């Protein structure tokens, strides 16, 4: 056997050995990679399960917390309403404010109801500035809501801000009636009659409250009486009684005005 043949045989013996090791090594690498992937999947699954468990626990805890807070809010609301019913408006306001603190500045439909109760308590306490502030908070939430605009208009009237009340455009006839009454008390009869005329025009455009027109017509008769126009005043009071029915005040005024005109019927 020559050297070439021997060399060839040696090479032919080594190739399988080298090839087998490479295959074996590659198999080990693939196996390790599969193990790593499996471990990674297991860890990810375990992490996902842990997160899910934590979320469930957090949800349960939050639900318990919210349930407790809702009970506290409901108790404060009931306490506030009870205090209002008994006329203890300052204590009622305190209950409503404590309840609003639990909302952390958030105003939802529930908080709007609480604010309405607070505004009513402030109004009954004759703290019109505070009540107006509360109504203005509500108007920021919904400036179209009639109830909020009416409350704000009433508060502005009580503070003498008639122009501000008229800006709300919700109860103009009542605003003009209040203006006229104040002007009559101050002896400004012509101004009062002008306000009454504006009020009647406003009511014709927006006939919301029938009593507003009645009040304006009564003030109109009073203004003419104070102007010493007794004939016109009598005419207006008689028309008032014919439309709305007799009442003690109107009948007394009619009797007085008839004496002023020499009519003793």
């Amino acid at each position: 056997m020559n050297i070439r043949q021997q060399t060839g045989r040696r090479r032919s013996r080594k190739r399988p050995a080298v090839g087998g090791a490479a295959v074996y090594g590659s198999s080990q690498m693939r196996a390790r990679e599969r193990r790593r992937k499996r471990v990674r999947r297991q860890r990810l699954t375990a992490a996902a399960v842990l997160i899910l468990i934590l979320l469930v626990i957090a949800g349960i805890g939050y639900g318990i917390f919210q349930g407790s807070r809702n009970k506290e809010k409901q108790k404060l609301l009931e306490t506030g309403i009870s205090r209002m019913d008994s006329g203890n408006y300052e204590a009622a306001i305190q209950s409503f404010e404590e309840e609003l603190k639990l909302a952390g500045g958030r105003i939802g439909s529930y908080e709007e109801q609480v604010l309405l109760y607070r505004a009513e308590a402030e109004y009954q306490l004759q703290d019109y500035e505070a009540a107006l502030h509360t109504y203005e908070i509500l108007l920021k939430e919904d400036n179209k809501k009639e109830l909020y605009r009416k409350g704000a208009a009433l508060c502005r009237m009580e503070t003498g801000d008639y122009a501000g009340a008229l800006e709300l455009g919700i109860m103009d006839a009542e605003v003009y009636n209040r203006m006229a009454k104040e002007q009559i008390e101050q002896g400004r009869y012509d101004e009062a009659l002008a306000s009454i005329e504006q009020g009647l025009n406003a009511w014709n455009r927006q006939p919301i409250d029938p009593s507003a027109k009645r009040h304006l017509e009564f003030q109109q008769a009073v203004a003419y009486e104070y102007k010493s126009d007794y004939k016109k005043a009598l005419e207006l009071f008689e028309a008032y009684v014919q439309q709305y029915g007799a009442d003690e005040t109107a009948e007394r005024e009619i009797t007085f005005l008839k004496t002023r005109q020499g009519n003793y019927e």
Side-chain angles (χ1 to χ4, degrees):
M1 182 181 296
N2 58 32
I3 295 174
R4 185 178 296 175
Q5 290 174 333
Q6 291 177 352
T7 304
R9 280 198 295 271
R10 283 200 298 271
R11 287 180 178 173
S12 63
R13 283 198 301 269
K14 288 182 179 179
R15 279 199 194 99
V18 173
V23 171
Y24 177 73
S26 177
S27 299
Q28 282 186 322
M29 289 176 65
R30 286 196 298 270
R32 283 197 297 271
E33 184 62 27
R34 283 195 297 271
R35 282 197 300 273
R36 281 197 296 269
K37 288 181 179 179
R38 186 167 58 252
V39 170
R40 191 181 301 117
R41 283 196 300 269
Q42 290 172 346
R43 287 177 179 173
L44 289 172
T45 302
V49 171
L50 179 61
I51 290 170
L52 181 61
I53 291 170
L54 290 173
L55 287 172
V56 170
I57 292 171
I60 293 170
Y62 181 75
I64 293 171
F65 172 75
Q66 283 297 103
S68 175
R69 172 167 283 197
N70 288 338
K71 285 181 181 178
E72 186 178 357
K73 287 167 65 177
Q74 188 63 35
K75 184 178 179 181
L76 285 168
L77 179 61
E78 290 172 359
T79 300
I81 293 171
S82 175
R83 287 171 171 175
M84 279 186 68
D85 291 341
S86 64
N88 192 352
Y89 299 114
E90 288 183 353
I93 291 167
Q94 184 179 355
S95 294
F96 299 139
E97 287 181 349
E98 288 176 10
E99 187 173 3
L100 290 167
K101 284 178 184 177
L102 294 175
R106 175 187 168 276
I107 299 178
S109 58
Y110 182 83
E111 286 72 27
E112 286 185 28
Q113 290 298 316
V114 177
L115 284 167
L116 269 177
Y117 279 118
R118 190 180 80 177
E120 176 62 20
E122 290 164 340
Y123 188 88
Q124 293 298 329
L125 200 60
Q126 297 185 3
D127 190 349
Y128 303 121
E129 292 287 351
L132 177 59
H133 173 69
T134 302
Y135 277 117
E136 286 175 344
I137 292 172
L138 290 165
L139 284 170
K140 286 180 182 178
E141 297 301 314
D142 185 355
N143 62 5
K144 302 291 185 184
K145 199 157 188 174
E146 185 176 298
L147 185 59
Y148 302 164
R149 291 163 62 204
K150 277 189 174 181
L154 281 170
C155 292
R156 288 180 181 179
M157 274 197 291
E158 294 293 350
T159 59
D161 183 11
Y162 299 121
L166 289 170
E167 284 177 2
L168 292 163
I170 187 65
M171 48 190 303
D172 292 358
E174 291 90 334
V175 177
Y176 282 117
N177 180 67
R178 181 72 67 88
M179 289 173 63
K181 187 176 180 181
E182 187 176 293
Q183 288 161 344
I184 290 170
E185 290 171 353
Q186 295 171 353
R188 298 153 56 196
Y189 308 124
D190 290 331
E191 291 179 42
L193 288 169
S195 296
I196 291 165
E197 190 66 29
Q198 288 177 294
L200 290 170
N201 291 335
W203 191 88
N204 288 330
R205 292 192 304 270
Q206 194 180 44
I208 297 174
D209 183 2
S211 66
K213 184 172 184 285
R214 178 175 180 170
H215 294 154
L216 283 163
E217 290 177 347
F218 186 90
Q219 294 297 335
Q220 189 177 43
V222 169
Y224 276 106
E225 180 181 342
Y226 277 100
K227 274 173 63 70
S228 300
D229 190 341
Y230 302 124
K231 181 179 180 181
K232 180 67 173 177
L234 178 59
E235 178 187 323
L236 290 170
F237 271 120
E238 287 177 335
Y240 175 89
V241 169
Q242 185 176 1
Q243 183 172 356
Y244 301 110
D247 63 57
E248 185 179 347
T249 303
E251 289 291 349
R252 185 171 61 248
E253 292 296 332
I254 289 171
T255 301
F256 168 76
L257 290 167
K258 283 180 177 180
T259 64
R260 286 291 181 174
Q261 298 177 76
N263 187 347
Y264 297 96
E265 294 179 5

